[in-house]
Amino acid sequence: MTKRLYETMFLLDNQLVREDWSKAKALVTDTITKHGGKLLSARRWDERRLAYPIQGKRRATFVLSYHEMDSENEHGIALRRDLELNERVLRYLMLQVEKLPEGELEKAQAESAADFVVPAPPPDDAPDIVERMPMREEGRRDELDVAVPDLNNLVEEEV
């Protein structure tokens, strides 16, 4: 069996990450090793606001991992199934890559140091302010109003 190198980006539920970063990271690493993968690197990539809500969440922590797995599909299928069924993994993207990027191991090791602290959430954690159009006065027609006929009161013409 041939081993292949994969890069996987996970979007994790921030609630789990803020409770315990090591538990959140273990969720990813344990799932990979459970399915026969050899973990080379796993680290917190960033925490960001999402472009649209996923499972009701507006923010997620991105975890980047590199691992080797057999080229047999059964392991990959089971891994993907576990990730899709896990409610704490909002999304993931797994790609086959040629080699580990330069400096990736050093970044992952720096995160494993005893003095590593997960950074505080960025200030854009506040909800967006949506500007609304002012309410129009009763009976006033704006240019954008469209007259819609009352279909219940239509009388058919006799031919």
Side-chain angles (χ1 to χ4, degrees):
M1 285 188 225
T2 307
K3 294 268 187 186
R4 293 191 176 158
L5 179 64
Y6 294 93
E7 172 185 271
T8 308
M9 178 69 76
F10 300 92
L11 275 71
L12 299 182
D13 182 357
N14 267 359
Q15 193 171 14
L16 174 67
V17 173
R18 289 180 183 165
E19 287 172 9
D20 185 5
W21 165 240
S22 59
K23 182 179 174 184
K25 187 175 177 180
L27 172 78
V28 170
T29 58
D30 292 350
T31 304
I32 291 171
T33 56
K34 172 184 168 185
H35 294 286
K38 178 185 174 193
L39 190 70
L40 303 175
S41 163
R43 67 179 176 90
R44 180 182 181 278
W45 185 70
D46 201 3
E47 176 183 339
R48 294 195 178 178
R49 198 173 105 217
L50 301 171
Y52 55 89
I54 301 174
Q55 297 177 12
K57 310 293 182 187
R58 296 206 166 267
R59 295 192 66 78
T61 298
F62 292 69
V63 177
L64 180 63
S65 75
Y66 290 89
H67 62 278
E68 290 179 340
M69 287 188 77
D70 293 332
S71 59
E72 295 291 319
N73 282 340
E74 64 189 50
H75 294 294
I77 291 171
L79 172 63
R80 290 174 193 271
R81 180 161 171 75
D82 268 4
L83 294 173
E84 288 169 6
L85 292 175
N86 192 323
E87 294 177 357
R88 300 297 194 149
V89 177
L90 303 177
R91 292 279 194 277
Y92 71 93
L93 177 64
M94 187 181 309
L95 302 171
Q96 183 180 341
V97 294
E98 295 297 319
K99 64 178 185 168
L100 195 65
E102 223 175 282
E104 186 60 34
L105 291 176
E106 291 79 16
K107 291 176 184 175
Q109 288 171 349
E111 185 177 283
S112 299
D115 60 344
F116 178 77
V117 177
V118 177
D124 69 344
D125 210 4
D128 292 337
I129 298 172
V130 178
E131 292 185 27
R132 303 223 183 254
M133 302 256 322
M135 296 294 287
R136 62 187 169 122
E137 297 172 18
E138 188 65 34
R140 188 177 141 235
R141 294 182 55 90
D142 290 338
E143 291 177 18
L144 298 177
D145 282 345
V146 176
V148 179
D150 184 5
L151 299 177
N152 294 326
N153 293 333
L154 286 180
V155 179
E156 291 185 30
E157 294 179 26
E158 291 185 32
V159 180

